[in-house]
Amino acid sequence: MGTLDSKVPSGPLAEKWTKHKNDINLVNPANKRNIDIIVVGTGLAGGAAAATLAELGYNVKTFCYQDSPRRAHSIAAQGGINAAKNYQGDGDSPYRLFYDTIKGGDYRSREANVYRLAEESVNIIDQCVAQGVPFAREYGGLLDNRSFGGVLVSRTFYAKGQTGQQLLLGCYAAMNRQINRGKIKPHNRHEMLDLVLVDGKARGIIARDLVTGKIERHSAHAVVLASGGYGNVFYLSTNAMGSNVTAAWRAHRRGAFFANPCFTQIHPTCIPVSGDHQSKLTLMSESLRNDGRIWVPKKKEDAEAIRAGKLKPTQIKEEDRDYYLERRYPAFGNLVPRDVASRAAKERCDAGFGVNKTGEAVYLDFASAIQRYGEEKAYTSGIKDPDPETITKLGEEVVASKYGNLFQMYEKIVDENPYKTPMMIYPAVHYTMGGLWVDYNLQTTIPGCYSAGEANFSDHGANRLGASALMQGLADGYFVLPYTIGDYLANDIRTGPIPTDSEAFDKAEADVRARLERLLNAKGTKSVDYYHKKLGKIMWNKCGMSRNAKELKEAIEEIAALRSEFYENVRVTGSMDELNQELEKAGRVADFLELGELFAKDALQRNESCGGHFREEYQTPEGEALRDDKNFKYVSAWEYKGEPKDAVLHKEDLVFENIELKTRSYK
C-alpha cells in the first residue's frame, strides 16, 4: 500500500508557507508570455485562478459548460465567507480559525494546508473589497460579521444572503479584464471529456462544444481542474442540476488519485423534499441559524396533528416545544456544526416528531428573533411602551434587512410566509469534502495537473464548517495556485507550444468518441434520469447521513449492477454532432455510476465515525461520532485500476504537531 508525498515544507507551522514561497522556482514575466494554462471550471476557484494567472502574464484558456462564468454554482453560496480579521475583537486569530477548521474536520485535514488557508483568509477579504464586493458593514463603517456553526467567534463576512453571487461577480469582473486584454480565451458551453497526457504530463484536454457537438483538442503546459463537487451523485442535492464529477473523474481514470470520496456534507437547513417529482433541493443559508431556533413538538400527538393539517405550529405552546439542539448542546445550541445538526434532525424525525406530510422536516422559527429585534429597535427609536404589533413590525423589518431575499425565496417555493409561520427544513446533500488528491502545491498525482476548490479533496477533512467553501476556493485561486504552479512551469520555459496533432491527442479523442458512441448506440428503453434517480436512492438510503457495513456492501453490488444495466438499457436520443443535452447527462451519469461505487467502498473501509462520515457501528452511547485515530488518521486516496471494485488504496498519514487531538464536544 503506497504512501503519498504531500510535499509539505519543513519548519515551524506559522513559517511554512512564507518559507515555501521563498524557496520554490518562479517564472519571469518575459517567459510567462510563452506558457499556456488551461483552467476547467470558472466558479470562484477557477475564475480566481484564471484571472490571477492571466494578470501575471500567462496565456489562459478557460472552459465551463454554462453559457457564462456568472452561472457557476459558486453563486449559490448564500451565508458568507470566513476570515480571521477579528474586527469584532472577540478573540479571533488565524490560529483559532486554523484550530476550528481542523477540529471541525474531526482531525482528518492536512495541518499545513489548513494553517495556510487561515493565513490567507485575511487577504481574501481585502482583495474582494478592492473589487467592490458589497459586504455588510456595521454602524462604525467596519465590515460586519455573523456567527456560523461550530465556532465561538463571529468571523463570517457576508453580503446579505447572496455572498457567493457578489464574490463571483467580483471574480468575473477580474476575468473580464483579462479577456479584454486577450490574456484569457474563454470557451463557454464547452465540457471537458478527457485529460491528455504526453510523456506522463498533463498537456491538454479533449472538450466538446455543447452547442455544435464538435469534439475539440486544446493543449497547454499545465491543466487546472476547478470543476466543483460531486454532490449530484445523490441525484437530489442543493447543487445546480448541471454540477457533475466528469472533469475530475476523467483525470482520475488517467492516473490522478481520488481522495476521501465518502466525506460528504449534509446541510441541515434545506427546504424538505415534497415528492418524487423533484429534481433538486433548495438550500436555506446556515446564517439563518444565527437567529432561527430549531424545534419539533414534544408530544407525538401534536406532530401527528400537524402532519394531518389539524394543527398549526403557532398553536403549539412554548412549553410543548422541544428545542432539541439547545437541549442537547447548550454551549453551541442551534450553531452546532452541520453534521451534528443534521443527524439530530434525522433522529427526531425517525422517532416520529417530523412536521411535514412526509414526516421529514423540523421547524426553524424566527418568532423569538423578531420579538428581540423589535424591542431593541423600538428602544433605540425612542418609542416608549410599544404595543405588540409595533414590536412585531419593527422586528420583521430588521430580520428582512438581514435575510430578506432568503425569506422571499422560501415563500415562493413553499407558499408560506416565514415571518408568520416557522420555516420547515430538513438535511440534504450539500458539499463534498472528497475530490482529487493534491499535494501542498495543489498538484495531483499527475505532473502538470492541478486541482483547486471543491474539486480537490480540500482542507476540510470530514466536516466542512459553514462559510469555508468560499474561503478555500478563493484562497486556492487568488493566493496559492499562482505561486505554486510556477514551481512546475519553470521547467517549461523552453518547451514551446504543445502540438495537438500527436498520438496522445489522437488516442484521447478516439476514446471520447467511442464512449459517446457507446451511449448513443445502447438503444434501450429507459431515460438517463431513470438511472440517475435509482442511483440517488441507493446513495441516500445506504451511503447518506448514516452508513453501516451491511448496507454499504449492498450498495456496492447494487451500483455495479445498475451500471451494467445502464449501458445495456439506457436510451439517448439525438446524435453526437449537435446540441444534445441528453447525451451530456448520459456521460455525467455514467461517471456518477462509477464514483458511487468507489464512494461506498471508501465508506466501507473507514471503520470509524468522523464528522460527515457516520458509521452506525462506531458511535458513543450518546450517539455522537466515535473516531479511531489509531487506525484511520489518514487521507484515503484511490488509484484507478479499471473498475471501482479494483481501485487500490493509498494512504497519506496525517501528522499533527501543533494541536492536541481531542474528542469533539459541542455540549
Side-chain angles (χ1 to χ4, degrees):
M1 194 172 291
T3 301
L4 296 163
D5 180 10
S6 62
K7 296 185 174 64
V8 172
S10 60
L13 182 66
E15 298 173 14
K16 286 182 187 292
W17 179 225
T18 300
K19 179 178 183 295
H20 191 61
K21 288 189 288 185
N22 291 336
D23 290 346
I24 58 177
N25 293 318
L26 301 176
V27 181
N28 85 37
N31 289 328
K32 286 177 181 145
R33 293 194 290 268
N34 301 318
I35 293 178
D36 303 323
I37 301 174
I38 285 173
V39 179
V40 179
T42 51
L44 286 179
T52 308
L53 291 167
E55 179 73 35
L56 289 171
Y58 295 107
N59 305 310
V60 179
K61 304 175 190 176
T62 61
F63 293 81
C64 68
Y65 68 80
Q66 301 96 336
D67 56 358
S68 165
R70 288 180 61 183
R71 295 181 64 83
H73 186 60
S74 300
I75 203 170
Q78 302 160 333
I81 176 171
N82 284 339
K85 299 289 268 187
N86 196 32
Y87 287 146
Q88 304 288 335
D90 58 359
D92 202 9
S93 67
Y95 181 86
R96 187 173 288 277
L97 173 53
F98 152 75
Y99 179 81
D100 285 344
T101 305
I102 290 280
K103 179 185 174 187
D106 248 356
Y107 307 95
R108 296 296 176 260
S109 312
R110 187 187 292 151
E111 196 179 62
N113 284 54
V114 178
Y115 194 86
R116 176 175 66 186
L117 179 66
E119 280 184 286
E120 294 292 4
S121 70
V122 297
N123 297 324
I124 294 169
I125 302 303
D126 295 338
Q127 170 92 2
C128 294
V129 169
Q131 290 175 341
V133 174
F135 286 122
R137 294 179 181 268
E138 47 90 23
Y139 72 96
L142 291 177
L143 300 183
D144 198 13
N145 291 118
R146 54 190 177 201
S147 298
F148 259 51
V151 299
L152 295 173
V153 297
S154 293
R155 66 162 65 101
T156 304
F157 295 78
Y158 64 98
K160 209 168 186 179
Q162 48 188 248
T163 313
Q165 178 179 354
Q166 297 300 330
L167 292 172
L168 189 62
L169 288 173
C171 188
Y172 182 55
M175 277 186 69
N176 270 338
R177 180 171 181 270
Q178 302 306 322
I179 292 170
N180 193 50
R181 292 179 63 219
K183 296 302 292 181
I184 291 180
K185 291 185 178 179
H187 296 80
N188 301 344
R189 300 293 287 132
H190 280 67
E191 183 168 28
M192 171 187 159
L193 295 181
D194 215 339
L195 182 70
V196 182
L197 273 58
V198 179
D199 297 328
K201 296 180 178 180
R203 292 301 200 190
I205 66 171
I206 304 297
R208 180 170 178 267
D209 184 325
L210 299 180
V211 177
T212 66
K214 181 183 177 183
I215 306 296
E216 300 176 354
R217 305 178 181 190
H218 296 273
S219 66
H221 298 89
V223 176
V224 177
L225 302 180
S227 49
Y230 50 85
N232 279 351
V233 70
F234 287 84
Y235 185 68
L236 284 179
S237 81
T238 65
N239 288 187
M241 289 193 61
S243 296
N244 63 83
V245 77
T246 291
W249 197 253
R250 293 295 114 194
H252 173 56
R253 289 175 63 108
R254 291 294 181 188
F257 292 2
F258 207 97
N260 295 341
C262 78
F263 285 174
T264 303
Q265 184 193 89
I266 311 294
H267 198 295
T269 318
C270 302
I271 296 179
V273 176
S274 60
D276 287 339
H277 62 281
Q278 267 186 274
S279 55
K280 81 174 297 292
L281 297 173
T282 303
L283 169 72
M284 299 307 295
S285 169
E286 185 183 339
S287 61
L288 295 173
R289 289 201 280 151
N290 270 290
D291 288 312
R293 299 178 71 194
I294 296 172
W295 64 276
V296 292
K298 284 183 179 178
K299 302 173 185 175
K300 274 191 182 178
E301 56 265 32
D302 286 346
E304 290 165 358
I306 288 173
R307 290 199 293 270
K310 298 176 181 177
L311 195 63
K312 294 181 179 180
T314 50
Q315 295 173 314
I316 304 291
K317 295 178 181 178
E318 188 71 16
E319 59 267 25
D320 292 329
R321 300 180 179 192
D322 179 14
Y323 295 95
Y324 58 88
L325 291 178
E326 298 172 31
R327 168 172 57 82
R328 291 178 59 178
Y329 309 101
F332 283 77
N334 297 296
L335 287 173
V336 291
R338 292 176 176 179
D339 64 306
V340 177
S342 294
R343 284 196 300 275
K346 182 178 187 296
E347 184 274 328
R348 288 290 79 196
C349 291
D350 288 350
F353 295 91
V355 295
N356 70 343
K357 291 180 181 178
T358 66
E360 293 185 328
V362 299
Y363 286 126
L364 180 65
D365 195 335
F366 283 83
S368 296
I370 289 170
Q371 177 75 16
R372 183 177 72 253
Y373 283 131
E375 290 174 354
E376 182 180 320
K377 186 69 179 292
Y379 185 84
T380 58
S381 301
I383 302 174
K384 295 182 178 179
D385 300 321
D387 56 51
E389 291 76 14
T390 300
I391 291 173
T392 298
K393 178 177 178 294
L394 293 173
E396 288 179 355
E397 289 174 358
V398 174
V399 169
S401 70
K402 298 179 75 172
Y403 312 112
N405 60 314
L406 300 173
F407 277 53
Q408 287 174 353
M409 185 168 67
Y410 180 89
E411 186 168 5
K412 285 185 177 180
I413 294 171
V414 181
D415 196 26
E416 286 186 355
N417 183 346
Y419 294 100
K420 306 298 182 185
T421 302
M423 287 184 181
M424 288 184 292
I425 57 168
Y426 195 69
V429 173
H430 178 53
Y431 183 93
T432 51
M433 288 80 78
L436 292 175
W437 183 90
V438 291
D439 62 18
Y440 191 71
N441 291 329
L442 303 186
Q443 186 170 224
T444 69
T445 48
I446 298 174
C449 179
Y450 290 76
S451 186
E454 193 178 354
N456 71 31
F457 84 102
S458 80
D459 304 331
H460 306 296
N463 171 49
R464 183 182 69 84
L465 297 174
S468 294
L470 303 181
M471 174 174 62
Q472 188 222 338
L474 291 179
D476 284 358
Y478 283 136
F479 299 110
V480 178
L481 191 68
Y483 275 106
T484 60
I485 201 169
D487 191 44
Y488 171 81
L489 292 173
N491 296 317
D492 270 322
I493 59 176
R494 293 184 178 86
T495 301
I498 307 296
T500 59
D501 57 352
S502 66
E503 184 180 343
F505 275 89
D506 291 344
K507 185 179 185 310
E509 182 178 337
D511 289 347
V512 167
R513 290 186 179 277
R515 195 162 66 248
L516 296 178
E517 286 168 0
R518 182 184 182 189
L519 293 169
L520 288 163
N521 292 336
K523 305 300 182 187
T525 59
K526 301 294 186 183
S527 70
V528 174
D529 281 342
Y530 169 83
Y531 288 102
H532 198 177
K533 285 182 180 180
K534 290 196 76 170
L535 172 64
K537 287 188 175 179
I538 296 170
M539 295 298 297
W540 181 249
N541 292 333
K542 299 184 177 182
C543 309
M545 262 191 282
S546 61
R547 302 111 187 236
N548 60 63
K550 175 180 176 291
E551 292 186 340
L552 287 169
K553 290 174 182 175
E554 291 171 354
I556 290 170
E557 293 180 2
E558 290 172 16
I559 294 169
L562 186 66
R563 185 168 65 251
S564 178
E565 182 191 336
F566 170 81
Y567 281 110
E568 291 175 6
N569 204 32
V570 72
R571 181 169 183 82
V572 181
T573 55
S575 70
M576 189 192 309
D577 303 317
E578 63 179 352
L579 189 152
N580 189 339
Q581 293 188 311
E582 198 69 7
L583 180 59
E584 293 171 35
K585 285 196 295 184
R588 295 166 188 170
V589 172
D591 291 331
F592 280 140
L593 284 163
E594 292 186 7
L595 167 68
E597 186 177 338
L598 184 66
F599 185 119
K601 181 174 180 174
D602 185 49
L604 182 62
Q605 68 85 30
R606 190 170 282 277
N607 293 320
E608 65 164 350
S609 292
C610 55
H613 168 65
F614 191 79
R615 284 283 297 272
E616 294 169 3
E617 306 95 324
Y618 307 101
Q619 56 181 301
T620 67
E622 295 80 25
E624 304 298 337
L626 186 62
R627 290 195 328 265
D628 182 352
D629 293 331
K630 180 179 178 182
N631 297 305
F632 293 97
K633 193 172 52 125
Y634 61 75
V635 175
S636 58
W638 296 92
E639 181 181 5
Y640 181 78
K641 289 293 184 181
E643 291 283 337
K645 65 180 176 60
D646 300 323
V648 174
L649 176 63
H650 298 262
K651 297 178 181 178
E652 179 199 337
D653 294 322
L654 296 168
V655 179
F656 296 96
E657 298 175 345
N658 298 275
I659 57 175
E660 180 185 351
L661 275 66
K662 298 179 180 178
T663 301
R664 284 197 307 168
S665 176
Y666 295 96
K667 296 289 185 182

